[in-house]
Amino acid sequence: MTVETFSGAERILEPSAGALLRRRVFGHAGFMIGAAIILAILAAALLAPWLAPHDPYAQDLTRRLVPPVWDAKGSWLDPLGTDQLGRDYLSRLLFGARISLLIGFSAALISGLIGTGLGLCAGYFGGRVDMVASFVVTTRLAMPVVLVALAVVALAGGSLHIVVAVLGLLLWDRFAVVTRAATHQVRQLDYVAAARATGCSTARIILAEILPNIMNALIVIATIEMANAILLDAALSFLGLGVQPPLPDWGLMVAEGKEYMFFSPWVIAIPGLALFTLVLAINLVGDGLRDLAAPENRN
Amino acid sequence: MLAFALKRLALALLVALTVSIISFSLLRLSGDLAQALAGPSATAADVEAVRKAYGLDQPLWVQYLAWARQALHGDLGTSFFFKEPVAAMIAARLPVTMTLGVSALLFALLVALPLGILAALKPNSWVDRLALTLSVVGQALPSFWFALMLMILFGLKLRWLPISGTASWKSFVMPAIALGYYGMPTFMRLTRAGMMEVLASDYIRTARAKGLRAPAILLKHALRNAIVPVVAVAAVQLGFFLGGSIVIESVFALHGVGYLGWESISRADFPVVQAIVLVLALFYIVLTLLADLLNAFLDPRIRVG
Amino acid sequence: MIGEPILEVEGLDVVIPLLAGTLRPVRDLAFAVARGETFCIVGESGCGKSLTALALMNLLPRRARRSARRLRFAGTDLARLDERRMADLRGDRIAMIFQEPMTALNPAYTIGNQLEEAMLRHRRVSRAEARDRAIFLLEKVGITAASSRLRQYPHQLSGGLRQRVMIAMALMCGPELIIADEPTTALDVTIQAQILHLLAALQREFRMAVILITHDLGIVARVADRVAVMYAGQIVETGAVADIFARPMHPYTQGLLRCIPVPGRTRRGAHLGSIPGLVPSLMGELAGCGFRNRCVYASPPCAAGGIGLVPLSPQRAYRCLLPPRECAANAAAAAAP
């Protein structure tokens, strides 16, 4: 609706676009909370060597399963207690953040490259290419992810690289589906037709005209897949077929603490909560980005 | 409708074929089969004899065809570890996984549908906020950890439910919740979004203009249309539940297909792993096919073209 | 107006609270409709005419609020009716026809189901009786092979057929008042004429009152008894249709009439009128005349205060500061070749 003004006093003061965006970003509680948590975890991961009170791998068999500081038997020596091998839990938790973030970022990056490439081709070229791409996506969806990931990791060995590669190679379907739909839509728009008419190359059109326009959607998917990769990695580690001990992976910490959980519940509660918090924060940021990118979808 | 069904069926068959090739390759990639079959103490001559006897000296595509022919006749090979037919092993464990998958689906739907509908009826109310919170939390909970927490609470502290085994229906309560909770947010968001869209549609206004009462509008005109996408996704989600039950089965020591798969991977019993991948993928393919057909059947625009 | 009024409206307001302020798309509306007459509300899109129709039915969007000093239908005070009692009236004594026949029918149910439902809700009849009534009415609205149509789904029907079904649906309980909101806008021109003729014929046959909402003065000229011209949420002129077309008083009405070609009077190739400018924002209160930014006769006093309706006769009123004589002179000057 056009704002027609009758007199100066009635004029509706329109804030600038930048100010509006800032207000929306800072006014979006979920996004702000999520971003703050992620920044905090990122800082903890980067500063782990300085923040950690102990070496995360140093065992002290005389101080096994010491409860956290809030317990009557806890002490400030190990603020979050120790595990079954007497390793300081806080230190392991801090170093574990590195693994989760690394796996999340790298797996999302790999799957993003695969999925976006496939989706761009399918959406841009359509026809046969599209049919082949949708067949590939359907086939990928039919494979039971956890089982295949477990089997491949078991065959190839449980190093960090392998786990990242396997997750990256398995989680690209959503990228492909969303990129395909978005590309298909953008392709119909006038300015892409104009670019084609002026003789721009296909690669140029895809990179310069289409990709920037689907970036919003891609970033949102990236947060979803990052969260997914972190959860899947944790599940693989928990089943003993992901990254291997003594790495302080949060999923592995839950697995190792499982035997002791009935008497020392904190050994599984703490790494689990850490996982939950990180994934929650990533999801909050993803939801927030989606809301902020498409305000008309909110009600 | 028929053309649509045939097209879907063709795609499903093609995907099944591809999946079978992938799972076949999985076994071949796992190492020298002849060596594995002959056992660790076999001599080089023994291994060669086994290789000949099992046709492992043939080109790969010949081996695939032979394997596929057997698979079509229900013969999925023999376990390295138990020396038993794999098909029988899977069949024995399938009921547990199916029970788990179906009850997880029921749990997810029972929670998600009413919450999604209420949230759509009163956007931004406390129900809506509760639904949103549950779904945000649900998508962030590591399922194995949630399962362990349930065990500590209901199994250990309250002692309401058994923490492992398959002795009675009670054994399935916690696993179903732990597995179903992960799928619930999808259903809830879908129900809420579908319901909101339908409630804002012109035909709901027409129904109100006829003087229909709120329950009739909701149950007859709104729900019917809002539920269609949920039905389709429910079938697909069941496929995911069956494939993803491996984590939950291992936490609760439920001896289903997923648990068998996990154990077999640990024992390097790859004929079993291969067969499970194939069976779970086939389940998923059949379920998505059913979902597509059901979707088409529920929508007269596709059914009566 | 001839005969007793079936609907009386006074001081009808619709407000929509938004983040940026309060939208007031319908302001202080007053009109009455007699039994058996056709009353047209005409105006350009966004003037509040559709919201007026929804407000009468109490079918406004969730966020919109309605208030009225007087809202009487056949002796019943609609403003005081709770939703339950209002629902009893809707589809029974007051029916509505919507603009979009393509989306106004539920895609999941057959035509028959949706027609019968309207009657089963309000009358104690069997499904078979409702079906007979549906077949009778489908034939009335010119649909052949009515009984086989009942088994069809909306997507199998063309837009014109669907709008006929919508009309039949509105007639199921024999309403005393039909509110038709742009019933022909979404249809082809040839179908438009058929549907209008049909509505007019049915109205005579069943002696219903019709409130027809449209942006098309051609339609008004063909079917209306009386007309109200709406602009920026207000009625700016009202009267008998012949009167309005012969002697438009308000500059906006005059502008609207200039925009339609008249066979025999408008020369081929002659410039048709247009009204420059845009509808004002409907946020908050209007200061002065809502039309003054687009009005060639505007003067400084037009910017101040509220401008009331000037009655010319019991049937005729307009909302302008210009005295009647000047308005008539303007109209005559504009009509001159």
Side-chain angles (χ1 to χ4, degrees):
Chain A
M1 185 177 299
T2 315
V3 178
E4 177 97 350
T5 52
F6 287 87
S7 65
E10 265 185 86
R11 189 181 180 81
I12 296 168
L13 288 171
E14 290 236 358
S16 72
L20 264 180
L21 183 68
R22 263 200 306 283
R23 194 190 298 168
R24 286 211 338 257
V25 169
F26 286 107
H28 198 290
F31 178 81
M32 290 308 291
I33 295 171
I37 296 175
I38 290 183
L39 283 179
I41 294 180
L42 196 64
L46 289 176
L47 302 176
W50 294 277
L51 290 176
H54 300 280
D55 177 352
Y57 300 105
Q59 304 180 3
D60 179 355
L61 295 179
T62 60
R63 294 178 48 76
R64 290 162 57 195
L65 293 170
V66 173
V69 65
W70 57 81
D71 191 278
K73 289 187 226 117
S75 80
W76 279 106
L77 197 57
D78 303 289
L80 293 180
T82 61
D83 67 4
Q84 66 288 347
L85 295 175
R87 295 174 294 197
D88 178 57
Y89 232 42
L90 176 61
S91 308
R92 288 184 71 70
L93 204 66
L94 289 171
F95 277 91
R98 296 180 151 200
I99 300 177
S100 282
L101 286 173
L102 183 71
I103 287 180
F105 274 121
S106 331
L109 194 67
I110 297 174
S111 55
L113 287 175
I114 300 173
T116 311
L118 193 68
L120 277 173
C121 289
Y124 188 82
F125 296 107
R128 292 256 167 88
V129 181
D130 191 18
M131 272 165 60
V132 171
S134 87
F135 164 72
V136 174
V137 171
T138 315
T139 310
R140 150 58 202 91
L141 284 172
M143 306 298 293
V145 180
V146 184
L147 198 62
V148 172
L150 280 176
V152 175
V153 172
L155 285 173
S159 77
L160 202 56
H161 300 94
I162 300 280
V163 171
V164 166
V166 168
L167 292 179
L169 289 171
L170 280 172
L171 296 177
W172 47 263
D173 50 283
R174 211 173 311 213
F175 277 108
V177 171
V178 171
T179 310
R180 179 198 162 275
T183 309
H184 195 73
Q185 222 167 32
V186 172
R187 197 188 125 87
Q188 322 283 337
L189 297 179
D190 288 343
Y191 62 89
V192 176
R196 266 214 304 249
T198 55
C200 286
S201 72
T202 302
R204 213 200 110 72
I205 291 174
I206 290 182
L207 289 179
E209 310 291 340
I210 294 187
L211 209 51
N213 281 288
I214 60 173
M215 219 50 210
N216 276 337
L218 287 183
I219 292 174
V220 173
I221 303 293
T223 63
I224 296 176
E225 292 309 349
M226 228 177 110
N228 251 343
I230 292 172
L231 284 177
L232 251 177
D233 159 64
L236 296 187
S237 310
F238 175 77
L239 292 173
L241 289 160
V243 296
Q244 294 301 312
L247 278 184
D249 180 273
W250 291 348
L252 205 53
M253 286 164 78
V254 175
E256 290 170 342
K258 204 179 114 186
E259 284 175 55
Y260 311 96
M261 70 175 193
F262 290 128
F263 304 103
S264 316
W266 81 88
V267 291
I268 66 160
I270 288 171
L273 268 178
L275 266 175
F276 169 71
T277 312
L278 176 58
V279 174
L280 183 72
I282 294 173
N283 285 344
L284 284 177
V285 167
D287 286 355
L289 285 174
R290 193 182 47 206
D291 286 351
L292 293 172
E296 68 275 12
N297 288 349
R298 303 182 63 200
N299 34 69
Chain B
M1 178 77 186
L2 190 66
F4 173 83
L6 286 176
K7 220 169 112 187
R8 287 293 146 146
L9 190 65
L11 180 68
L13 286 175
L14 199 60
V15 172
L17 182 74
T18 316
V19 167
S20 76
I21 294 175
I22 293 175
S23 71
F24 173 77
S25 338
L26 188 66
L27 179 60
R28 304 295 139 152
L29 285 173
S30 65
D32 188 352
L33 271 185
Q35 180 73 60
L37 285 168
S41 57
T43 64
D46 290 342
V47 173
E48 280 319 302
V50 168
R51 199 183 301 282
K52 269 231 151 49
Y54 282 86
L56 295 173
D57 53 345
Q58 305 271 321
L60 266 182
W61 65 271
V62 176
Q63 293 186 38
Y64 169 74
L65 286 181
W67 174 82
R69 187 179 314 119
Q70 285 183 336
L72 280 176
H73 289 93
D75 177 3
L76 291 171
T78 309
S79 157
F80 288 163
F81 189 81
F82 292 104
K83 312 287 180 208
E84 275 176 43
V86 175
M89 289 170 65
I90 292 179
R93 284 164 171 88
L94 211 45
V96 171
T97 300
M98 291 299 272
T99 313
L100 176 59
V102 171
S103 42
L105 184 69
L106 285 180
F107 167 77
L109 287 175
L110 278 177
V111 177
L113 286 184
L115 266 181
I117 292 169
L118 287 176
L121 286 177
K122 290 207 172 8
N124 293 323
S125 65
W126 67 268
V127 185
D128 192 17
R129 279 166 213 285
L130 173 75
L132 186 69
T133 310
L134 278 180
S135 91
V136 169
V137 168
Q139 275 170 340
L141 271 181
S143 57
F144 59 89
W145 184 69
F146 181 51
L148 292 175
M149 290 291 138
L150 287 178
M151 259 167 138
I152 292 183
L153 181 63
F154 293 109
L156 191 77
K157 300 266 190 247
L158 299 171
R159 296 190 178 279
W160 287 354
L161 296 162
I163 58 172
S164 70
T166 50
S168 77
W169 61 270
K170 281 186 184 166
S171 312
F172 283 97
V173 174
M174 283 197 284
I177 292 175
L179 185 59
Y181 195 81
Y182 190 67
M184 189 195 62
T186 315
F187 292 132
M188 190 148 60
R189 286 179 185 220
L190 209 58
T191 311
R192 180 179 180 276
M195 207 61 188
M196 300 261 288
E197 194 190 320
V198 167
L199 285 176
S201 70
D202 286 353
Y203 56 81
I204 293 300
R205 199 174 56 185
T206 307
R208 292 182 64 201
K210 282 187 213 174
L212 296 188
R213 295 242 164 80
I217 293 176
L218 195 66
L219 294 176
K220 179 175 171 184
H221 286 276
L223 204 53
R224 165 71 197 259
N225 286 292
I227 213 82
V228 170
V230 180
V231 170
V233 171
V236 176
Q237 192 73 40
L238 180 60
F240 282 132
F241 281 159
L242 295 178
S245 67
I246 179 165
V247 179
I248 297 301
E249 285 184 18
S250 70
V251 172
F252 290 97
L254 289 177
H255 288 265
V257 175
Y259 194 80
L260 178 66
W262 179 50
E263 284 182 315
S264 303
I265 290 173
S266 317
R267 290 193 288 249
D269 194 352
F270 279 90
V272 181
V273 180
Q274 172 200 36
I276 292 177
V277 169
L278 183 66
V279 168
L280 289 179
L282 287 180
F283 262 113
Y284 178 87
I285 293 167
V286 171
L287 283 169
T288 43
L289 179 66
L290 282 180
D292 278 348
L293 297 181
L294 195 62
N295 215 357
F297 182 75
L298 287 176
D299 187 344
R301 279 166 295 191
I302 306 179
R303 184 180 70 223
V304 197
Chain C
M1 189 167 42
I2 350 106
E4 59 162 321
I6 187 160
L7 182 74
E8 295 165 276
V9 180
E10 261 175 50
L12 177 68
D13 279 285
V14 174
V15 296
I16 305 176
L18 295 175
L19 283 179
T22 304
L23 202 62
R24 300 193 52 207
V26 177
R27 297 157 189 255
D28 195 26
L29 234 55
F31 61 87
V33 183
R35 284 189 187 276
E37 93 168 325
T38 301
F39 182 74
C40 272
I41 299 178
V42 65
E44 58 196 296
S45 56
C47 73
K49 53 193 195 302
S50 287
L51 284 173
T52 303
L54 293 175
L56 295 177
M57 294 290 278
N58 202 13
L59 288 177
L60 284 168
R62 196 194 291 266
R63 271 183 300 184
R65 295 278 168 274
R66 166 188 92 169
S67 65
R69 278 199 306 280
R70 190 178 170 82
L71 196 57
R72 290 185 81 77
F73 168 76
T76 315
D77 186 359
L78 296 185
R80 293 243 185 84
L81 232 48
D82 58 14
E83 172 56 27
R84 216 185 151 74
R85 303 267 303 283
M86 187 65 211
D88 288 340
L89 279 184
R90 279 200 295 258
D92 183 4
R93 300 179 63 191
I94 314 178
M96 186 152 180
I97 301 167
F98 293 100
Q99 177 172 357
E100 264 302 330
M102 303 312 272
T103 52
L105 290 164
N106 193 330
Y109 296 98
T110 58
I111 302 300
N113 183 317
Q114 296 184 62
L115 280 167
E116 289 153 20
E117 173 185 64
M119 190 169 195
L120 292 170
R121 159 69 176 88
H122 298 289
R123 301 275 184 273
R124 301 178 66 95
V125 293
S126 68
R127 193 160 271 279
E129 285 168 299
R131 191 180 310 123
D132 289 343
R133 170 83 176 161
I135 293 172
F136 168 75
L137 284 172
L138 282 184
E139 280 165 357
K140 270 275 174 241
V141 299
I143 292 181
T144 50
S147 51
S148 67
R149 291 283 185 198
L150 289 184
R151 284 191 296 277
Q152 290 191 310
Y153 287 91
H155 73 273
Q156 294 170 292
L157 271 53
S158 68
L161 278 182
R162 286 194 218 185
Q163 197 58 299
R164 286 167 197 265
V165 170
M166 286 302 294
I167 293 173
M169 192 182 287
L171 296 174
M172 282 300 282
C173 293
E176 292 147 71
L177 172 65
I178 283 197
I179 302 173
D181 181 9
E182 305 256 10
T184 60
T185 306
L187 304 176
D188 291 343
V189 185
T190 47
I191 313 285
Q192 281 190 12
Q194 293 174 12
I195 297 284
L196 281 176
H197 279 300
L198 175 68
L199 259 179
L202 291 167
Q203 180 193 18
R204 277 193 300 278
E205 182 172 347
F206 296 110
R207 266 193 56 78
M208 300 175 297
V210 172
I211 297 179
L212 184 69
I213 309 239
T214 180
H215 66 277
D216 186 345
L217 278 174
I219 291 179
V220 177
R222 267 191 284 178
V223 300
D225 295 316
R226 287 186 315 119
V227 56
V229 180
M230 268 186 90
Y231 184 80
Q234 292 178 313
I235 290 182
V236 294
E237 182 159 7
T238 177
V241 68
D243 227 11
I244 296 246
F245 274 73
R247 271 171 291 130
M249 301 299 276
H250 195 280
Y252 177 64
T253 318
Q254 292 168 3
L256 275 186
L257 285 170
R258 261 201 308 281
C259 297
I260 47 170
V262 184
R265 255 175 64 194
T266 311
R267 268 185 303 121
R268 195 169 268 277
H271 185 71
L272 283 177
S274 67
I275 309 177
L278 294 160
V279 185
S281 159
L282 295 172
M283 284 293 181
E285 296 296 330
L286 281 181
C289 172
F291 187 59
R292 67 173 191 281
N293 285 26
R294 303 169 71 182
C295 179
V296 287
Y297 311 111
S299 62
C302 297
I307 294 172
L309 273 172
V310 181
L312 292 173
S313 70
Q315 298 300 319
R316 187 95 164 86
Y318 72 105
R319 194 184 293 274
C320 185
L321 290 179
L322 295 178
R325 235 177 327 123
E326 252 177 75
C327 286
N330 291 338

